[in-house]
Amino acid sequence: MRFFPRLSTVRGSIFGPVIGLSMAVIALQSASAMEGTAVFADPSKIVAVGGSITEIVYALGEEKHLVARDSTSRYPNAALDLPDVGYMRALSPEGVLSVNPTGILALHGSGPKEAVDVLKKTSVPFIEVPERYSHEGILEKVRIVGKALGVDAKAEVLAGELDAKLTAAEKQTTSIKERKRILFVLSIQGGKILAAGSETAADGMVKLAGGVNAVEGFSGYKQMSDEAIITARPDVILMMSNAGPPVSDDELFGNPSIASTPAGTARKLIRIDGAYLLGFGPRTADAIHDLAVSLYGGQVTD
């Protein structure tokens, strides 16, 4: 999933790694990394990296701690008023440190690795939050964020609420016998389909909503051959909206391999906001419900 950063000239370009690394090195106050930290000693000025991390902070009612966010943090709308330090997978130490944070709370997978390594070696505590695309993974995120901010009790309350909502959302499709085969298309490049395999957020969401990932045999996001697309026999194509260059319906269904599938014949396509669909945060139970309804309609039980 790719989001495009909105960087200001004050924070500098994410494409200036040499300058960014130099400034970060100058900013070092300690030779040892602050890794292994579980609780921020001073949570007054936290940079949140990762849309679900920012959402959790707001869901906990602890947004007063936030001094900046990354460009994938687009919900709630109030978060957009915070300074943007760049796209979570293309961070620069310069941009993150420019807001003088007292702590960095980052989702696993933030990068590039070189920039994250530099940030971990500064005197600013860096807490990395694991990303697991599952019901339990969401609750784990909530508890880690709550602990980091010193609000464990509030995190347990939120985790309990989300646990109940997620359980209810997953039960809505338990009685459905014929499961839809879903092909998640991330993008089309040169006429080739980039699709989601196992161990991806898309795969996790499809399963939670009672669907079957039509793709087998690989993990991550990979380009598929025309033969592999046809063999996958998807009933539905699932895509993100508001994330990356748009792909029109005509371009999608005009693709020969897609046109040869049941989904192509029926022109069955579901588009859902990317951050909402794949965020694995406080809104995921609602996203599961919405995807399930889009797949099965009246068969979904409340």
Side-chain angles (χ1 to χ4, degrees):
M1 177 167 63
R2 182 181 180 189
F3 297 88
F4 295 90
R6 186 164 53 83
L7 297 176
S8 71
T9 55
V10 174
R11 286 183 291 275
S13 170
I14 61 172
F15 302 107
V18 175
I19 295 174
L21 292 176
S22 297
M23 290 187 67
V25 170
I26 292 172
L28 296 182
Q29 298 176 9
S30 170
S32 62
M34 296 295 290
E35 292 185 71
T37 301
V39 184
F40 291 122
D42 178 4
S44 62
K45 293 170 38 175
I46 303 301
V47 174
V49 179
S52 61
I53 302 302
T54 302
E55 287 193 33
I56 290 169
V57 173
Y58 274 87
L60 288 169
E62 297 297 321
E63 62 271 18
K64 62 181 178 292
H65 296 290
L66 297 180
V67 69
R69 47 98 190 179
D70 78 305
S71 60
T72 70
S73 298
R74 299 182 287 114
Y75 184 90
N77 287 335
L80 298 177
D81 293 332
L82 293 167
D84 182 347
V85 297
Y87 173 52
M88 67 171 286
R89 301 194 195 282
L91 298 171
S92 71
E94 166 192 33
V96 175
L97 297 175
S98 69
V99 296
N100 298 313
T102 59
I104 301 165
L105 193 56
L107 191 61
H108 177 76
S110 299
K113 182 179 183 300
E114 295 78 10
V116 170
D117 286 346
V118 169
L119 289 170
K120 286 181 177 180
K121 290 176 182 177
T122 71
S123 61
V124 180
F126 188 105
I127 295 179
E128 187 172 66
V129 182
E131 176 76 292
R132 293 193 294 132
Y133 306 121
S134 65
H135 178 142
E136 286 302 322
I138 294 170
L139 306 185
E140 179 184 33
K141 278 190 203 177
V142 170
R143 293 184 174 112
I144 290 174
V145 171
K147 185 176 185 62
L149 298 178
V151 289
D152 301 68
K154 290 177 74 171
E156 280 303 321
V157 171
L158 178 59
E161 293 172 352
L162 294 180
D163 186 23
K165 289 186 66 176
L166 287 164
T167 298
E170 292 169 62
K171 286 182 178 178
Q172 292 175 326
T173 57
T174 53
S175 64
I176 295 173
K177 304 300 182 188
E178 294 185 13
R179 302 285 170 156
K180 300 286 187 182
R181 295 177 59 81
I182 317 300
L183 178 67
F184 180 88
V185 175
L186 183 65
S187 65
I188 300 179
Q189 302 173 352
K192 295 295 184 181
I193 302 297
L194 190 64
S198 63
E199 299 177 27
T200 60
D203 180 69
M205 274 301 298
V206 164
K207 291 174 179 176
L208 287 171
V212 175
N213 190 345
V215 172
E216 299 176 347
F218 68 81
S219 61
Y221 295 89
K222 292 187 179 180
Q223 197 173 82
M224 296 183 68
S225 67
D226 291 349
E227 181 181 3
I229 294 289
I230 295 170
T231 301
R233 298 177 292 104
D235 300 302
V236 178
I237 307 298
L238 177 62
M239 297 188 74
M240 295 184 294
S241 57
N242 304 319
V247 176
S248 69
D249 288 16
D250 288 342
E251 181 182 2
L252 176 68
F253 293 117
N255 182 284
S257 60
I258 294 292
S260 300
T261 66
T265 301
R267 293 180 70 88
K268 183 62 177 177
L269 168 65
I270 298 171
R271 295 183 192 266
I272 299 178
D273 178 79
Y276 178 60
L277 177 67
L278 304 184
F280 280 81
R283 297 184 292 162
T284 295
D286 294 328
I288 292 170
H289 171 78
D290 291 351
L291 177 56
V293 169
S294 295
L295 291 174
Y296 301 113
Q299 296 182 71
V300 174
T301 58
D302 292 324

